[in-house]
Structures are given as structure tokens and as C-alpha cells.
Amino acid sequence: MSSAYGAASSSVTLGDSAAGWRPLFDGQTLAGWRGYKEQGPPAGWAVKNGAIVREAEAGDLITEETFGNFELSLEWMISKGGNSGILYRVSEDGEKTYVTGP
């Protein structure tokens, strides 16, 4: 199921679960996400039409949980002229996310 932002449903099927897949996003809230070096999500992030969107100036968003080896599958969209991406293996030892994660 697609939203106005083109995001697919965040549902993980029974077959996906059996194969070890699980969602990082529930499609409705920022549960499981927080700001870099923060306890909760930074102001400026929201969920709209089943997608995580940045509505205003905001710090980086990271998962609350850390992971070992993983495979990541997602649909991702950026606005024209945007400057964003997906960083992984980020450590909160650095001043900025992009200093610690590829």
C-alpha cells in the first residue's frame, strides 16, 4: 500500500518474520526512534501518510536499538535539492552522525 509520499506499507508478512525480518517503523508513530544523543525524537520529525518525514529543521533520527549484522530493505525518497541519506553503524562517540557511520 502506498502513501502520498510513495512509502510502502511497513508491514512485515508472516513469511518475512519467519525469515528473520522485522520492521523498524510501525507506519504510524516514531516509536523506536530517537535523536542522535537524545532520549526522544527531535522536533521537526513526524509521521505523515505512513512515512517518516522531516517537516522542519531537525537533528538526525536514529533507531533506539543497536544491531549487529543485518540486511536493510526500504523505500526511500528525497525531495529535489535535498541533502540526506541513510547512515548505518553510527556511534554516539562522535560529534555528528556522519563522522562515525558510512
Side-chain angles (χ1 to χ4, degrees):
M1 172 181 237
S2 292
S3 75
Y5 292 94
S9 168
S10 61
S11 298
V12 173
T13 67
L14 186 57
D16 294 336
S17 294
W21 291 89
R22 64 186 181 91
L24 297 177
F25 173 53
D26 66 15
Q28 299 175 12
T29 70
L30 292 174
W33 296 89
R34 64 182 180 86
Y36 185 71
K37 296 187 177 184
E38 295 181 23
Q39 295 296 312
W45 289 101
V47 176
K48 297 268 181 153
N49 299 318
I52 297 174
V53 297
R54 194 179 92 170
E55 296 184 309
E57 191 69 29
D60 291 333
L61 196 61
I62 66 173
T63 58
E64 290 178 347
E65 189 174 351
T66 57
F67 299 91
N69 293 332
F70 63 89
E71 290 182 39
L72 178 65
S73 176
L74 55 94
E75 289 192 34
W76 174 73
M77 190 170 148
I78 187 169
S79 60
K80 186 176 181 177
N83 181 13
S84 186
I86 297 169
L87 300 171
Y88 55 94
R89 304 244 187 264
V90 170
S91 163
E92 291 183 281
D93 294 334
E95 187 175 320
K96 301 281 186 182
T97 53
Y98 58 82
V99 173
T100 66

